[in-house]
Amino acid sequence: MITIALSKGRIFEETLPLLKAAGIEVLEDPEKSRKLILTTNQPDVRVLVVRATDVPTYVQYGGADLGITGKDTLLEHGSQGLYQPLDLRIAKCRISVAVRSDFDYQSAVKKGSRLTVATKYVAISRDFFASKGVHVDLIKLYGSMELAPLVGLADAIVDLVSTGNTLKANHLVEVEHIMDISSRLVVNQAALKLKQAQLRPIIDAFESAVAAG
Ligand code: AMP
C-alpha cells in the first residue's frame, strides 16, 4: 500500500493533475466527504487528508509514504527524516513582511527600534530579521495575521501573499519579500528504500509532469 498525505484546498486541487500523470485518480472529493482516507482508482494507493502543517509529521513518522506541502511549512517544521526530491511548482506564492500603510517601516528599521511582528512563521521570521540585524518581538498567531497591525497587536506581520488582495483589503502594504514559496514532494526515507519499486514510478511521473508543465 502506498499512502499519500495531502491537505485540502489549493494543494489538493493542484496535485490532482500530477496524480493523474502517475495514473492515480482520487475517487472522493474531500470538500464533500468527511472521510479522512480517500480511495483511488489504484487499489494499493490511498490519500490521507491532513492539515497542511501536519503533512511533514505524517511523512516523517511513516504514517504516509509521500506528502505534498509548502516550502513555508517545511522550513517551519524542519525536514528531518524527509527526502525532498522535487519542487512541484504548485501553490506558488511568496512570504513577505507587511505593515499598515501609515507605518514608516524603513525609518523604524533604520532607527534600530524593536519591531513587534505577528506571524504563524516564527522560525522564518526569526531567521530573516536576525540576518538583517533587526530586533524583533515575535507574537505567534495561527491565522488571520492581517488583523494584528489593525488593532495595535503588532507593527508588522509575516505572511503568505499571493495576489496581494487580502493585504489591500486590510490597508496593509508589503515592505519586504522574504522568499518565493511553492509546494514540494516529500518522501519518507525508509519507505523510499523499502517501497522503491512502487514509489519510483510515481516520483518519475510527477517529475515529467512538472518538467512538461
Ligand atoms: P492573496 O489575497 O491572494 O494575496 O492571498 C493571501 C491569503 O491567502 C493569506 O491569508 C495567505 O495566508 C493565503 N495564501 C496565499 N497563498 C497561499 C498558499 N500558496 N498556500 C496557503 N495559503 C496561501
Side-chain angles (χ1 to χ4, degrees), residues 10 91-93 145-146 159-167:
R10 195 169 161 186
K92 285 187 184 173
C93 59
M145 267 81 84
E146 296 86 359
D159 194 11
L160 300 180
V161 180
S162 178
T163 59
N165 290 339
T166 307
L167 292 181

Side-chain angles (χ1 to χ4, degrees), residues 2 4 18-24 42 44-45 66 86 185 187 191-192 195-209:
I2 295 295
I4 306 173
L18 298 173
L19 289 172
K20 203 162 183 192
I24 301 164
Q42 311 257 353
D44 57 348
V45 179
L66 300 176
L86 269 181
L185 178 65
V187 187
L192 188 65
K195 300 184 182 177
Q196 169 93 252
Q198 294 141 287
L199 289 178
R200 258 298 146 207
I202 299 176
I203 298 171
D204 290 347
F206 280 13
E207 189 165 13
S208 308

Side-chain angles (χ1 to χ4, degrees), residues 3-19 24-26 28 30 35-38 40 45-56 58-59 63-70 88 90 183-186 206:
T3 304
I4 306 173
L6 296 177
S7 53
K8 276 203 254 187
R10 195 169 161 186
I11 289 182
F12 187 86
E13 297 303 321
E14 296 189 27
T15 298
L16 292 180
L18 298 173
L19 289 172
I24 301 164
E25 289 183 43
V26 184
E28 288 148 300
K35 282 196 201 166
L36 299 174
I37 301 181
L38 308 180
T40 73
V45 179
R46 61 183 182 171
V47 168
L48 306 186
V49 181
V50 304
R51 283 191 70 131
T53 45
D54 290 335
V55 167
Y58 274 89
V59 177
D65 303 302
L66 300 176
I68 295 177
T69 187
L88 299 171
I90 58 171
S183 289
R184 314 276 156 137
L185 178 65
V186 290
F206 280 13

Side-chain angles (χ1 to χ4, degrees), residues 47-169:
V47 168
L48 306 186
V49 181
V50 304
R51 283 191 70 131
T53 45
D54 290 335
V55 167
T57 308
Y58 274 89
V59 177
Q60 184 178 351
Y61 294 105
D65 303 302
L66 300 176
I68 295 177
T69 187
K71 182 179 172 187
D72 51 319
T73 304
L74 287 168
L75 287 173
E76 281 297 310
H77 177 272
S79 44
Q80 319 85 293
L82 297 174
Y83 172 59
Q84 292 186 49
L86 269 181
D87 177 354
L88 299 171
R89 299 193 212 146
I90 58 171
K92 285 187 184 173
C93 59
R94 56 193 182 273
I95 189 158
S96 295
V97 182
V99 297
R100 268 166 67 146
S101 48
D102 58 2
F103 181 79
D104 190 349
Y105 175 79
Q106 301 306 342
S107 305
V109 166
K110 222 180 278 163
K111 271 192 254 153
S113 345
R114 257 189 116 79
L115 277 187
T116 307
V117 178
T119 187
K120 186 158 91 172
Y121 301 104
V122 172
I124 293 172
S125 304
R126 189 182 297 116
D127 287 354
F128 174 73
F129 287 108
S131 74
K132 285 176 67 77
V134 174
H135 296 288
V136 288
D137 292 314
L138 294 170
I139 298 179
K140 167 91 182 180
L141 291 178
Y142 293 88
S144 303
M145 267 81 84
E146 296 86 359
L147 261 181
L150 305 183
V151 296
L153 185 65
D155 301 314
I157 60 169
V158 168
D159 194 11
L160 300 180
V161 180
S162 178
T163 59
N165 290 339
T166 307
L167 292 181
K168 211 178 289 166

